[in-house]
Amino acid sequence: LRRQRQMCIRDRLRIEKSVFLLTNTNMNINEISYEVGFSYPRYFSTSFKQIKGMTPTRFKEENKKN
């Protein structure tokens, strides 16, 4: 249970870092996934959606800074 909690906290921190990269860089989703520490982009996308309520692609489209 403790290990699960640590993984959840780690994933949330990674997702928060990815939010910055999604809105402030031109990196694609796979690059961001690896940059923040996920080994599998699919797991990154799934985790992102669970935490933020939308896919990373949709988030990027809706929040991109010009």
Side-chain angles (χ1 to χ4, degrees):
L1 185 61
R2 182 179 177 159
R3 184 179 172 122
Q4 259 185 329
R5 192 176 314 126
Q6 288 173 335
M7 288 177 63
C8 183
I9 292 169
R10 184 181 62 217
D11 286 352
R12 286 184 179 277
L13 291 173
R14 289 174 175 172
I15 296 302
E16 289 308 315
K17 183 176 180 183
S18 75
V19 165
F20 176 83
L21 296 174
L22 287 164
T23 56
N24 294 289
T25 72
N26 290 321
M27 295 171 73
N28 67 42
I29 303 304
N30 287 345
E31 291 170 326
I32 290 172
S33 170
Y34 295 124
E35 179 70 23
V36 300
F38 284 91
S39 299
Y40 303 99
R42 183 79 177 137
Y43 181 65
F44 165 69
S45 293
T46 301
S47 297
F48 191 98
K49 188 171 183 178
Q50 287 176 342
I51 292 169
K52 293 296 182 185
M54 66 179 75
T55 65
T57 303
R58 183 171 170 205
F59 183 89
K60 185 173 186 165
E61 290 169 357
E62 292 184 8
N63 296 282
K64 187 71 177 168
K65 292 183 179 176
N66 295 328

